[in-house]
Amino acid sequence: MKLRMTLGTLLAFLFILTQCKPKAAELAGDTYPISAASGSAFSIDTEKSIIKWTASKVTGKHNGTVKLKSGSVNAKGDSVTGGSIVIDLPSIVNIDLEGTPYKAKLEGHLKDTDFFEVGKFPEGFFEIASITADDKGGLEARGNLTLKGISKGISFPVAIVFADGKPVSAKGTATINRQQWGIVYKGMPDDLINDEIILDFDLVTKI
């Protein structure tokens, strides 16, 4: 009887521990549900943070950056519990064509109706739904990315650095299908554009 009670107590304790672990958000339709974040809020340093983008086509690829307008993350202990960023889409620039007349042409095209239509949609958004351990010993971020007024749930691996109990920086790489956000321009018939865009998030907080 004593052994049974001890075993039962242990199993109950283990059950409580597993219930206390952060759970990965599950898609509810096209997006993940967003819960109220707990813990303290830390502002994103928009001068030190950046999103790098890479897009490819038949004849090669292009890459560049886009800045953030604002953002914050919530953390409790050594866990990020929520957060969001505002993406400054008119700031999108190309890097690989630097010093050529094609740089300005591409940047103008990215800002028009074929792509991000920044005159009508000057801001993009990413809101964290959950950050949990993945099956490889790392972390996985799940959240909702909004571009051109369309929100879709995405997930990708992230690495988060804490110092003195505060989130210092976070990096992650997401691959998205632009068609899901209404970016459907195919490119030239002999130089079709890949639907996949790679987004490298490099975020630094103000602490």
Side-chain angles (χ1 to χ4, degrees):
M1 176 65 71
K2 198 168 185 180
L3 179 59
R4 285 182 182 174
M5 289 183 65
T6 302
L7 181 59
T9 302
L10 176 61
L11 290 174
F13 178 69
L14 291 175
F15 175 77
I16 292 172
L17 281 181
T18 57
Q19 292 300 104
C20 291
K21 289 182 180 179
K23 292 184 178 180
E26 296 296 330
L27 279 174
D30 288 336
T31 60
Y32 293 108
I34 304 295
S35 302
S38 59
S40 302
F42 301 87
S43 296
I44 297 293
D45 190 332
T46 56
E47 294 299 317
K48 296 180 180 179
S49 301
I50 200 74
I51 299 174
K52 300 174 184 177
W53 59 265
T54 303
S56 61
K57 55 182 182 175
V58 172
T59 59
K61 64 181 181 180
H62 294 298
N63 64 284
T65 63
V66 61
K67 296 180 180 180
L68 304 184
K69 290 187 73 171
S70 62
S72 65
V73 294
N74 284 70
K76 186 175 183 180
D78 61 352
S79 298
V80 170
T81 61
S84 62
I85 58 173
V86 180
I87 305 167
D88 183 17
L89 288 170
S91 73
I92 191 167
V93 295
N94 165 269
I95 291 176
D96 63 282
L97 295 175
E98 195 74 47
T100 75
Y102 300 105
K103 172 181 166 66
K105 183 178 180 181
L106 175 58
E107 290 174 353
H109 197 186
L110 291 173
K111 295 174 184 179
D112 76 11
T113 55
D114 282 339
F115 289 97
F116 295 102
E117 200 171 352
V118 301
K120 185 177 181 180
F121 303 102
E123 295 178 342
F125 306 91
F126 178 71
E127 189 169 14
I128 297 171
S130 67
I131 293 183
T132 54
D134 61 22
D135 56 5
K136 298 178 181 178
L139 295 174
E140 180 187 65
R142 295 185 178 186
N144 301 322
L145 177 66
T146 302
L147 297 170
K148 299 185 74 170
I150 300 171
S151 297
K152 297 287 183 179
I154 63 173
S155 61
F156 54 96
V158 293
I160 302 172
V161 176
F162 277 81
D164 298 324
K166 300 176 182 179
V168 175
S169 62
K171 293 185 178 182
T173 299
T175 300
I176 67 170
N177 184 323
R178 63 189 178 90
Q179 296 268 349
Q180 294 185 321
W181 285 268
I183 305 171
V184 298
Y185 177 71
K186 294 181 179 181
M188 303 301 290
D190 60 347
D191 198 11
L192 296 177
I193 300 172
N194 196 314
D195 286 339
E196 290 187 345
I197 300 174
I198 299 172
L199 300 175
D200 291 308
F201 294 86
D202 189 350
L203 309 180
V204 179
T205 61
K206 295 178 180 179
I207 58 171

